[in-house]
Amino acid sequence: MKDDIKSLYTLEFDKILGMLVSYCPVEAAHGAILSIRPSVSAQEIKKRLAEVSAAKALIQVKSTPPISSVKDITSHMERAEKGSCLSMGDLLEIGSLL
């Protein structure tokens, strides 16, 4: 565990994640980005590389998605899960994300 932390510190992994966060316009995703950790599992690495390759191929075919206009709908989803009614504005925000 200490070796892992030391390696992350030596590689300045926190600075890399900070740079990644600075490119992300969706504030709700910042926590997920900061929780990213490298893997030593060959299977996990192959899976992640396949995901990146698929995303790259999709961007090449469809162009970059308009992420800057993404709104955080977490609160709407939480209210919907509890059975609350959503306003027309809430539904429009959810619809625009989809």
Side-chain angles (χ1 to χ4, degrees), residues 8 11-23 33:
L8 293 177
L11 294 172
E12 297 184 335
F13 195 69
D14 59 327
K15 291 181 183 179
I16 295 168
L17 291 179
M19 290 189 319
L20 185 58
V21 164
S22 73
Y23 286 106
I33 291 170

Side-chain angles (χ1 to χ4, degrees), residues 76-84:
H76 306 331
M77 300 306 292
E78 289 172 351
R79 286 199 320 273
E81 285 177 348
K82 293 177 184 175
S84 296

Side-chain angles (χ1 to χ4, degrees), residues 59-77:
I59 288 171
Q60 288 174 337
V61 171
K62 301 277 187 178
S63 82
T64 305
I67 295 176
S68 61
S69 63
V70 172
K71 294 187 179 184
D72 182 14
I73 62 164
T74 306
S75 62
H76 306 331
M77 300 306 292

Side-chain angles (χ1 to χ4, degrees), residues 74-96:
T74 306
S75 62
H76 306 331
M77 300 306 292
E78 289 172 351
R79 286 199 320 273
E81 285 177 348
K82 293 177 184 175
S84 296
C85 290
L86 299 176
S87 70
M88 184 57 71
D90 296 342
L91 293 172
L92 289 172
E93 284 183 9
I94 293 168
S96 71

